[in-house]
C-alpha cells in the first residue's frame, strides 16, 4: 500500500517536512556581464536558469529557436513515497524552460500524447492570435496528433505556457512551464532561478482529487490542500554564497489560490512583472502573487545563515482561530564568502503614457441557471460566442473591472498589455505592464489597456473553474495598419 503522506495542508503545515530536495552546488562564481551582446548575428547565449531543464534549440539559425514539446501522462514523485500520476510537458514538472530573444521566431513542434485533446496557450505573449491556443482560434489537438506553433516574440519578460481547454484539470495535473523572452542588454546574475508556486488538491490516497467534487470548488475555485513548489511537496533546499545576487522568476500556476510570499533572511526587490522589467524596482516585505501573474525579483544574500521563501497561508490554530502562518517553500543555506555584492545595471524602461480614448466596464458576476447550476458571467454572459467589445488596433481603452460577486477574480487579457490605474488603494499600486490583475471581491480595479495587437483575444478570469463555468469571453481588435 502507498505510504500515506500527510498531505492535508493543515497537517502538512504542522509537520513541515523538509527532507531530500534537489540540492545545489555552492554558488560562488561571479559571472561577467553579457556586456557587448548585441543583435542576432550570433545565436544568443542565454543564462542558465535553475528550476527545470531548458529546451534545446534545434535550429542553428540565429533568428530562430526551434524546440519540441510533448504533453504526456507521467508518474511524478512529489515527495518521498508519494508518487502521483500527473500530466507533464516532456516528463518535467514544472514544464521545461523555453528561452528566446526579442525578435526571434519560435517554432514549437508539439505532440499530444495525452488521452484527451489539448492546446497550448502562451500566456502574456503578444503574438499572432492564430497561435494563441484558445478554442476561439484553434481546434483542439486530438490525442496522438501534433501541431506546430510558430510566432515571433516581441517583448522581453517572464511568460508561461499552459493548455487552454479543460484547463482546470490539465493545469492542475501539471501542464505549465516558463517562457522567458530576453533583451540583448539584460544584466547577468550569479544565478537565475525559476519557481512555480502552485497548490494541488489531493485525495486521501494522495492522488489528484476528483474535479468539482465540492460546491466550494465552483464557488471559489479549486484551492489545494498541499503546496507544490517546482513540483515538490517538501521544502526545496539550496545553497548560495554570501553576497551573491540572484534573479528569481516567480509564477503562480495554481487554479485559484493567490499566493502571499515573503522572504526571510535575505533581501529582495521586485525588478520585473508580467510585461518585463520595471522602470523603478521596489522593495517590499510581501509579494501578492495571484494566479497567472509573474514577478521577477532580485535576491541578495546579505547575511550568512538560512534564507527562506515563505508562503503565508491562513490556517487554524489549536483554538480553532484562523491565523496566518509562514510555510517555508524554499530554504537557501547561505555560506560565508569574502566578497561584496555587485549591483546590477537594469535596463532602462519607459512605460507607455497614452491617454485613453474610450472607456468600458466589465462586470464580474454569478447566477444560477434554471437547472440550478452555478454560472460565472462577464457583463451578464457566460461563455458568449460574440466578442464583448470590438476595438480597433492602436486604441487605448480605460476598462473598469467591476466585481459584483464575493470571490476575487484575477482578470487576464490575452495578447495585450495594460497598466493598473493606481488610485491610492494598496492593491492598485502595481507598476509595470500587466496581462493579469486581481480584482478583489465586491470591489473594482481600473486598467488602461493598449490594444496594439490585432486579433481575436480571450478576456477571462484566471480562476480556472470560473473560466470553465462561463467567465470567459473575447474581445476583437480589428486590424487598422
Ligand atoms: Cu493563462 Cu487564457 O490564460
Ligand atoms: Cu473568477
Amino acid at each position: 500500500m502507498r505510504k500515506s503522506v500527510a498531505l492535508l495542508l493543515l497537517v502538512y503545515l504542522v509537520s513541515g517536512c523538509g527532507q531530500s530536495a534537489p540540492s545545489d552546488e555552492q554558488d560562488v562564481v561571479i559571472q561577467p556581464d553579457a556586456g557587448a551582446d548585441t543583435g542576432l548575428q550570433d545565436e544568443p547565449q542565454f543564462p542558465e536558469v535553475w528550476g527545470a531543464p531548458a529546451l534545446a534549440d534545434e535550429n542553428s539559425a540565429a533568428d530562430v529557436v526551434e524546440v519540441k514539446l510533448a504533453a504526456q501522462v507521467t508518474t511524478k514523485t512529489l515527495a518521498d513515497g508519494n508518487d502521483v500520476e500527473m500530466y507533464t510537458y516532456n516528463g518535467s514538472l514544472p514544464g521545461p524552460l523555453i528561452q528566446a530573444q526579442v525578435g526571434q521566431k519560435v517554432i514549437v513542434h508539439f505532440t499530444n500524447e495525452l488521452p484527451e485533446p489539448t492546446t497550448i496557450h502562451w500566456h502574456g505573449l503578444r503574438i499572432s492570435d492564430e497561435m494563441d491556443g484558445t478554442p476561439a482560434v484553434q481546434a483542439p489537438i486530438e490525442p496522438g496528433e501534433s501541431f506546430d506553433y510558430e510566432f515571433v516574440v516581441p517583448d522581453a519578460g517572464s511568460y508561461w505556457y499552459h493548455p487552454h481547454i479543460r484547463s482546470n484539470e490539465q493545469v492542475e495535473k501539471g501542464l505549465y512551464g516558463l517562457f522567458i523572452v530576453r533583451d540583448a542588454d539584460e544584466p547577468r546574475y550569479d544565478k537565475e532561478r525559476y519557481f512555480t508556486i502552485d497548490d494541488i488538491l489531493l485525495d486521501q490516497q494522495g492522488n489528484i482529487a476528483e474535479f468539482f467534487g465540492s460546491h466550494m470548488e465552483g464557488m471559489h475555485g479549486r484551492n489545494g490542500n498541499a503546496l507544490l513548489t517546482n513540483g515538490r511537496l517538501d521544502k526545496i533546499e539550496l545553497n548560495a554564497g554570501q553576497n551573491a545576487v540572484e534573479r528569481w522568476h516567480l509564477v503562480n500556476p495554481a487554479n485559484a489560490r493567490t499566493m502571499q510570499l515573503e522572504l526571510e533572511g535575505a533581501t529582495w526587490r521586485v525588478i520585473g512583472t508580467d510585461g518585463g522589467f520595471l522602470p523603478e524596482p521596489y522593495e517590499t516585505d510581501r509579494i501578492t502573487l495571484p494566479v497567472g501573474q509573474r514577478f521577477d525579483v532580485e535576491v541578495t544574500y546579505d547575511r550568512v545563515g538560512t534564507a527562506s521563501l515563505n508562503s503565508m497561508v491562513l490556517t487554524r490554530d489549536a483554538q480553532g482561530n484562523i491565523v496566518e502562518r509562514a510555510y517555508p517553500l524554499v530554504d537557501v543555506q547561505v555560506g560565508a564568502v569574502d566578497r561584496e555584492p555587485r549591483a546590477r545595471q537594469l535596463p532602462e524602461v519607459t512605460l507607455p503614457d497614452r491617454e485613453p480614448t474610450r472607456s468600458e466596464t466589465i462586470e464580474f458576476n454569478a447566477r444560477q441557471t434554471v437547472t440550478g447550476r452555478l454560472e460565472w458571467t462577464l457583463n451578464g454572459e457566460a461563455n458568449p460566442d460574440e466578442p464583448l467589445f470590438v476595438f480597433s488596433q492602436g486604441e487605448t481603452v480605460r476598462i473598469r473591472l467591476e466585481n459584483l460577486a464575493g470571490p476575487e477574480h484575477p482578470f487576464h487579457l490575452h495578447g495585450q498589455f495594460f497598466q493598473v490605474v493606481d488610485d491610492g488603494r494598496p492593491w492598485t499600486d502595481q507598476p509595470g505592464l500587466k496581462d493579469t490583475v486581481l480584482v478583489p471581491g465586491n470591489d473594482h480595479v481600473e486598467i488602461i489597456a493598449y490594444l496594439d495587437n490585432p486579433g481575436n483575444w480571450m478576456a477571462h478570469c484566471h480562476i480556472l473553474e470560473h473560466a470553465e463555468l462561463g467567465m470567459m469571453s473575447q474581445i476583437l481588435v480589428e486590424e487598422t495598419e
Side-chain angles (χ1 to χ4, degrees):
M1 222 196 92
R2 186 196 303 271
K3 185 174 140 206
S4 135
V5 180
L7 289 169
L8 292 176
L9 188 56
L10 294 178
V11 183
Y12 189 42
L13 277 166
V14 175
S15 76
C17 42
Q19 329 82 332
S20 85
S23 73
D24 200 27
E25 76 284 9
Q26 192 73 14
D27 170 36
V28 290
V29 185
I30 298 179
Q31 289 164 346
D33 273 328
D37 216 4
T38 51
L40 295 170
Q41 296 93 321
D42 299 313
E43 189 84 29
Q45 293 298 315
F46 301 121
E48 237 180 75
V49 182
W50 176 96
L55 287 183
D57 178 4
E58 296 176 6
N59 191 312
S60 59
D63 55 351
V64 182
V65 170
E66 192 166 356
V67 296
K68 286 202 189 78
L69 265 189
Q72 304 165 333
V73 179
T74 313
T75 300
K76 294 302 289 183
T77 302
L78 304 186
D80 288 350
N82 203 85
D83 291 353
V84 181
E85 191 178 278
M86 306 285 286
Y87 283 179
T88 66
Y89 291 114
N90 295 12
S92 173
L93 180 66
L97 170 70
I98 303 177
Q99 293 207 77
Q101 189 168 314
V102 170
Q104 277 187 314
K105 180 198 274 184
V106 177
I107 304 170
V108 181
H109 301 285
F110 173 66
T111 309
N112 179 11
E113 296 171 10
L114 302 174
E116 59 175 309
T118 191
T119 60
I120 305 183
H121 165 55
W122 313 96
H123 181 126
L125 288 175
R126 298 195 306 159
I127 55 177
S128 140
D129 66 343
E130 287 150 56
M131 293 292 141
D132 197 43
T134 69
V137 295
Q138 183 182 9
I141 304 160
E142 297 297 327
E145 290 191 351
S146 297
F147 185 86
D148 291 342
Y149 288 96
E150 198 174 312
F151 46 82
V152 173
V153 287
D155 313 288
S158 300
Y159 306 94
W160 64 299
Y161 59 96
H162 63 78
H164 220 287
I165 51 173
R166 297 164 64 91
S167 55
N168 65 311
E169 299 190 12
Q170 297 188 0
V171 174
E172 169 81 349
K173 288 180 172 178
L175 289 180
Y176 52 77
L178 185 70
F179 194 130
I180 302 176
V181 182
R182 298 191 183 266
D183 266 327
D185 62 351
E186 292 191 2
R188 292 280 174 136
Y189 284 89
D190 296 315
K191 188 140 223 149
E192 290 199 24
R193 301 186 191 274
Y194 135 34
F195 291 108
T196 53
I197 322 273
D198 193 4
D199 69 349
I200 49 173
L201 188 64
L202 297 170
D203 63 18
Q204 295 293 327
Q205 283 72 45
N207 295 315
I208 302 281
E210 181 196 349
F211 290 94
F212 288 119
S214 74
H215 178 70
M216 286 297 277
E217 189 163 321
M219 201 57 202
H220 293 279
R222 182 177 171 102
N223 279 287
N225 52 8
L227 294 170
L228 191 72
T229 306
N230 285 25
R232 293 294 293 188
L233 295 169
D234 45 11
K235 190 168 57 178
I236 293 174
E237 305 209 22
L238 303 168
N239 296 303
Q242 189 183 3
N243 286 334
V245 183
E246 299 185 349
R247 177 177 175 188
W248 290 3
H249 308 262
L250 306 174
V251 192
N252 177 354
N255 285 31
R257 183 187 293 271
T258 297
M259 303 293 172
Q260 304 290 349
L261 302 173
E262 293 193 357
L263 185 69
E264 212 184 307
T267 305
W268 68 3
R269 58 174 190 157
V270 179
I271 56 171
T273 187
D274 300 359
F277 282 102
L278 298 175
E280 293 276 357
Y282 63 92
E283 285 179 16
T284 182
D285 290 334
R286 173 171 297 197
I287 292 176
T288 299
L289 182 62
V291 291
Q293 268 194 13
R294 287 85 63 210
F295 281 104
D296 276 21
V297 294
E298 191 186 81
V299 175
T300 304
Y301 299 109
D302 46 10
R303 282 152 268 181
V304 168
T306 306
S308 303
L309 175 65
N310 294 325
S311 176
M312 310 303 290
V313 280
L314 295 178
T315 182
R316 286 185 193 278
D317 66 10
Q319 285 73 47
N321 303 316
I322 293 185
V323 290
E324 192 181 63
R325 262 205 216 155
Y327 183 78
L329 305 176
V330 181
D331 270 359
V332 186
Q333 300 309 328
V334 183
V337 176
D338 184 20
R339 68 165 161 196
E340 293 299 310
R342 191 168 55 89
R344 264 55 180 193
Q345 186 67 43
L346 297 177
E348 244 174 70
V349 175
T350 342
L351 298 177
D353 182 21
R354 287 159 38 183
E355 273 305 307
T357 52
R358 184 169 161 183
S359 294
E360 297 293 353
T361 298
I362 301 180
E363 288 183 355
F364 294 64
N365 215 338
R367 66 180 172 216
Q368 256 183 356
T369 64
V370 278
T371 59
R373 209 168 61 86
L374 174 67
E375 204 166 57
W376 289 99
T377 60
L378 294 173
N379 283 357
E381 302 203 67
N383 262 322
D385 293 327
E386 293 298 310
L388 269 191
F389 304 109
V390 179
F391 298 108
S392 46
Q393 184 182 0
E395 253 187 303
T396 305
V397 183
R398 187 175 182 114
I399 306 176
R400 183 176 169 101
L401 306 169
E402 186 76 54
N403 186 351
L404 302 174
E408 59 185 24
H409 299 288
F411 172 75
H412 171 44
L413 178 59
H414 284 211
Q416 325 285 338
F417 289 138
F418 55 77
Q419 285 188 72
V420 178
V421 178
D422 183 357
D423 60 13
R425 298 175 301 160
W427 61 91
T428 62
D429 180 14
Q430 294 201 52
L433 292 173
K434 294 280 187 187
D435 56 56
T436 307
V437 64
L438 190 66
V439 190
N442 297 311
D443 215 319
H444 68 274
V445 165
E446 294 197 330
I447 60 173
I448 293 176
Y450 309 105
L451 303 174
D452 296 339
N453 192 13
N456 190 347
W457 302 103
M458 297 303 222
H460 65 92
C461 176
H462 219 288
I463 290 184
L464 300 174
E465 290 69 30
H466 292 176
E468 289 296 318
L469 296 177
M471 209 168 238
M472 181 144 62
S473 63
Q474 302 157 46
I475 64 157
L476 183 66
V477 178
E478 286 180 328
E479 187 155 8
T480 56
E481 285 149 27

